[in-house]
Amino acid sequence: MDVPKPHDFSLPFLKKEQVAQNAFAFYFDRKNSDLEFIAGQYTRVILPHDNADTRGTSRLFSIAVSPLQKELLRIVTKIVPESGSQLQRSSFKNMLFNLEAGKPVSFFGPMGRFTLRQDVSSYVFLVGGIGITPLLSILPFASAQKLPVQITVFLSFSTVEEVLFKDELLALSQQNPGIKIIYTVSHPEGSSQKWEGEQGRISTELIKKYVPDVTAPHYYVVGPQTMVLAMAELAKSLGVTEEKIIKEQFIGY
Ligand SMILES: Cc1cc2nc3c(=O)[nH]c(=O)nc-3n(C[C@H](O)[C@H](O)[C@H](O)COP(=O)(O)OP(=O)(O)OC[C@H]3O[C@@H](n4cnc5c(N)ncnc54)[C@H](O)[C@@H]3O)c2cc1C
């Protein structure tokens, strides 16, 4: 497929859904849209409003749905509580949170190169928290297309309450022997929910436990900026060469 040209488009808002503590999915109707994108790309969401804070009226979000799902566009993001948190929710997120069903929303996209490559068949994804979003496009696409690829995904969350889309991704990995999913929680203690998976941050030991030849795959690293930089260093420390490390930094967190 040719790389789709970014352009302005508009989609009606459908609904929102809470997917974890302080995390929501937002769905838009793309039944009447000719939008084409490559799994892993992102889009700008534009929500003009009065009295916007200094961060402005638009944000970038990875498209969190397979391109084969022609009916919907989904984004997934953190929404901090309106009060009682040290973090101040942006006026943009307030607008997003309060969108009403049917409202047309403006977008510009698709953009980005955090996508699978024709000449690469072995991938390791190192994902920090909300950085899961491009995987919600790449994994169902790779699985449905039966792409001849091996994808190992390490996903790290601070607490059990923050874990995103575990059932959905584990189900995909069960259907597809080319996809391996490893969730890890760095602070499972103190949670009301039990955690039986891996614990601690993504480490060289954890990667070696699941990836037989650690320098062979391409490493795709995604999430908040500081995590991406730390995980890219981790990949380098395994002996992975710079050109095989592809980063998607969620600037703004
Ligand atoms: C290519 C690209 C793709 C992106 N894709 C996504 C995506 O799919 N989903 C997504 O949510 N964001 C994504 N982002 C980041 C997004 O564009 C926003 O910058 C981000 O969601 C923060 O939004 P906000 O400024 O409205 O702050 P809010 O979310 O309202 O947060 C308020 C403040 O709290 C801080 N904050 C909030 N949560 C945390 C936290 N956990 N740790 C530290 N500080 C925090 C923020 O920095 C901000 O200053 C992407 C960015 C890029 C460049």
Side-chain angles (χ1 to χ4, degrees):
M1 175 184 176
D2 292 338
V3 177
K5 280 214 171 66
H7 59 283
D8 294 308
F9 59 98
S10 170
L11 302 176
F13 173 65
L14 284 174
K15 60 168 183 175
K16 68 172 179 287
E17 185 180 81
Q18 184 155 15
V19 289
Q21 189 181 54
N22 300 340
F24 289 79
F26 295 84
Y27 294 85
F28 302 85
D29 185 351
R30 80 174 179 109
K31 276 201 287 292
N32 298 318
S33 159
D34 56 3
L35 175 70
E36 298 281 343
F37 62 93
I38 301 174
Q41 287 196 297
Y42 61 87
T43 178
R44 181 172 290 282
V45 178
I46 304 151
L47 294 173
H49 55 283
D50 294 333
N51 304 318
D53 62 30
T54 53
R55 279 176 274 162
T57 56
S58 74
R59 293 290 187 282
L60 300 175
F61 294 104
S62 300
I63 302 173
V65 71
S66 164
L68 302 172
Q69 163 51 284
K70 301 278 185 197
E71 307 221 316
L72 296 169
L73 185 145
R74 173 173 69 175
I75 62 169
V76 180
T77 190
K78 305 265 257 183
I79 305 273
V80 297
E82 222 173 354
S83 59
S85 161
Q86 287 171 331
L87 302 167
Q88 168 85 38
R89 185 197 290 178
S90 64
S91 62
F92 174 90
K93 290 276 173 88
N94 236 357
M95 281 296 290
L96 183 66
F97 191 72
N98 291 309
L99 276 177
E100 285 178 9
K103 168 130 177 101
V105 172
S106 301
F107 294 80
F108 179 80
M111 295 173 276
R113 296 175 163 271
F114 198 72
T115 54
L116 301 183
R117 296 167 183 216
Q118 300 250 317
D119 55 342
V120 175
S121 61
S122 175
Y123 299 86
V124 169
F125 281 81
L126 306 180
V127 180
I130 192 68
I132 192 172
T133 48
L135 275 306
L136 299 173
S137 182
I138 291 169
L139 293 175
F141 178 78
S143 180
Q145 297 287 83
K146 299 197 168 29
L147 297 183
V149 290
Q150 177 66 52
I151 304 178
T152 306
V153 187
F154 295 90
L155 302 113
S156 159
F157 293 86
S158 298
T159 65
V160 186
E161 284 74 13
E162 287 174 26
V163 168
L164 288 164
F165 297 99
K166 184 159 153 274
D167 294 344
E168 194 170 316
L169 294 199
L170 290 181
L172 265 182
S173 74
Q174 271 156 17
Q175 291 155 20
N176 192 319
I179 297 174
K180 213 189 286 177
I181 306 285
I182 300 104
Y183 276 82
T184 183
V185 171
S186 52
H187 298 289
E189 71 281 355
S191 166
S192 54
Q193 296 171 44
K194 211 164 152 219
W195 180 250
E196 289 174 344
E198 295 287 352
Q199 299 192 12
R201 293 174 178 212
I202 299 171
S203 63
T204 51
E205 293 71 32
L206 187 69
I207 296 170
K208 284 178 184 161
K209 183 170 164 188
Y210 291 96
V211 181
D213 179 0
V214 288
T215 57
H218 274 60
Y219 281 67
Y220 278 49
V221 189
V222 55
Q225 202 171 17
T226 47
M227 290 177 93
V228 168
L229 298 176
M231 291 189 294
E233 283 305 314
L234 198 71
K236 267 195 239 168
S237 75
L238 286 167
V240 181
T241 51
E242 192 100 42
E243 68 276 9
K244 282 167 74 174
I245 304 174
I246 288 86
K247 303 189 211 80
E248 186 80 297
Q249 304 185 44
F250 283 9
I251 294 158
Y253 277 123

